[in-house]
């Protein structure tokens, strides 16, 4: 039986940018488990809990369906997606296709692409990781931003949009990342950056190896849990 929206500890929403605020609040509640897999997302109940109109809730739920966090069934409504281990890790399959393709574009680009913004994202990740063998929320954010910047450098708005829809599921998975030496975590990303910077023809393979390592570590942890 689905929990009530009033029991999910959802924050109240201001009028400005109501849809975006509802979306952010629902996304966070799903990612951190306040709204459980299989729970129904009822427009009326959520609108009352947020203090917004139903249209803001409806649009936010549509975005969550696009992001893969919510399923919609005709005559039944929207439900938080129930995901198997393979289904969860499929986000890395999608990321692999996008990021390896971007790496290939960057290596072959003429003239060479300026990677200074990717270097800055790596520096931020390095500072955030320093001394933390446990993957923190700040490190998750820095990790995702590094990969988003990599995709942005590819210069394809469509690939960027596709990759952005995977961010929420990636955050959810990275919260299950096992304890991992922070220096190794940084080095894993440095190898990706250096391959791109050197325009190494193997850069796409380096990206694939990086993502598969992460998927394997998380998958093993989820199986233990």
């Amino acid at each position: 039986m689905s929990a009530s929206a009033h029991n999910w500890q959802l924050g109240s929403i201001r009028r400005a940018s109501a849809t975006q605020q509802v979306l952010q609040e629902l996304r966070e509640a799903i990612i951190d488990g306040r709204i459980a897999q299989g729970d129904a997302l009822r427009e009326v109940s959520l609108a009352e809990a947020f203090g917004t109109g139903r249209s803001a809730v409806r649009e936010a739920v549509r975005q969550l369906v696009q992001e893969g966090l919510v399923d919609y069934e005709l005559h039944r409504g929207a439900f938080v997606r129930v995901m198997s281990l393979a289904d969860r890790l499929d986000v890395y399959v999608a990321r692999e296709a996008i990021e390896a393709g971007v790496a290939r574009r960057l290596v072959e680009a003429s003239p060479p692409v300026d990677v200074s913004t990717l270097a800055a994202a790596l520096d931020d990740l390095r500072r955030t990781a320093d001394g933390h063998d446990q993957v923190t929320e700040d490190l998750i954010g820095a990790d995702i931003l590094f990969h988003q910047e990599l995709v942005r450098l590819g210069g394809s708005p469509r690939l960027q949009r596709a990759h952005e829809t995977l961010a929420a599921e990636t955050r959810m998975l990275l919260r299950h990342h096992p304890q991992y030496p922070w220096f190794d975590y940084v080095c894993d990303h440095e190898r990706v950056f250096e391959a791109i910077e050197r325009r190494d023809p193997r850069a796409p393979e380096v990206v694939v190896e990086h993502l598969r390592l992460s998927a394997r570590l998380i998958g093993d942890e989820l199986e233990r849990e």
Side-chain angles (χ1 to χ4, degrees):
M1 184 176 179
S2 174
S4 167
H6 295 280
N7 296 328
W8 288 334
Q9 302 173 24
L10 303 173
S12 61
I13 298 299
R14 298 185 300 274
R15 282 186 175 275
S17 305
T19 297
Q20 286 302 312
Q21 291 181 66
V22 169
L23 173 60
Q24 182 177 345
E25 184 69 20
L26 284 177
R27 186 191 287 126
E28 288 297 321
I30 292 170
I31 288 172
D32 66 26
R34 280 177 286 150
I35 306 179
Q37 293 188 40
D39 276 357
L41 301 179
R42 307 296 187 194
E43 281 185 18
V44 173
S45 179
L46 286 168
E48 290 176 354
F50 285 128
T52 64
R54 293 174 60 180
S55 62
V57 173
R58 188 178 307 118
E59 290 303 315
V61 169
R62 284 177 181 168
Q63 178 62 32
L64 292 171
V65 171
Q66 184 178 355
E67 292 179 9
L69 296 179
V70 171
D71 285 329
Y72 180 82
E73 297 180 23
L74 191 63
H75 305 309
R76 293 194 65 225
F79 298 81
V80 177
R81 189 173 184 184
V82 178
M83 293 184 283
S84 65
L85 177 57
D87 194 23
R88 289 187 183 192
L89 294 178
D90 184 60
V91 67
Y92 277 93
V93 176
R95 286 184 57 192
E96 184 179 307
I98 295 171
E99 295 182 38
V102 167
R104 186 172 297 106
R105 277 188 88 168
L106 295 176
V107 167
E108 296 172 353
S110 181
V113 174
D114 180 1
V115 297
S116 59
T117 54
L118 187 61
L122 178 61
D123 285 342
D124 182 57
L125 186 147
R126 188 182 292 113
R127 286 192 298 270
T128 305
D130 192 1
H132 298 285
D133 289 346
Q134 193 69 39
V135 176
T136 64
E137 288 297 317
D138 287 342
L139 182 53
I140 288 172
D143 185 328
I144 291 173
L145 284 175
F146 173 85
H147 288 274
Q148 287 178 327
E149 181 57 29
L150 170 65
V151 174
R152 190 193 68 78
L153 289 178
S156 169
R158 289 173 179 80
L159 285 180
Q160 281 182 254
R161 287 197 297 269
H163 191 263
E164 285 170 3
T165 65
L166 304 173
E169 287 181 279
T170 298
R171 284 183 59 199
M172 187 182 294
L173 285 170
L174 283 171
R175 287 185 173 186
H176 296 279
H177 198 293
Q179 187 165 326
Y180 193 67
W182 72 267
F183 184 77
D184 291 344
Y185 198 102
V186 172
C187 284
D188 291 343
H189 289 80
E190 286 176 339
R191 279 192 286 272
V192 172
F193 173 77
E194 289 166 2
I196 298 295
E197 184 182 41
R198 293 195 311 267
R199 296 164 61 83
D200 185 342
R202 289 193 64 256
E205 297 171 41
V206 174
V207 169
V208 168
E209 290 168 4
H210 171 78
L211 292 173
R212 289 185 181 179
L213 171 62
S214 184
R216 184 167 66 252
L217 290 170
I218 292 169
D220 289 347
E221 185 69 13
L222 285 169
E223 284 185 334
R224 281 193 291 271
E225 291 175 3

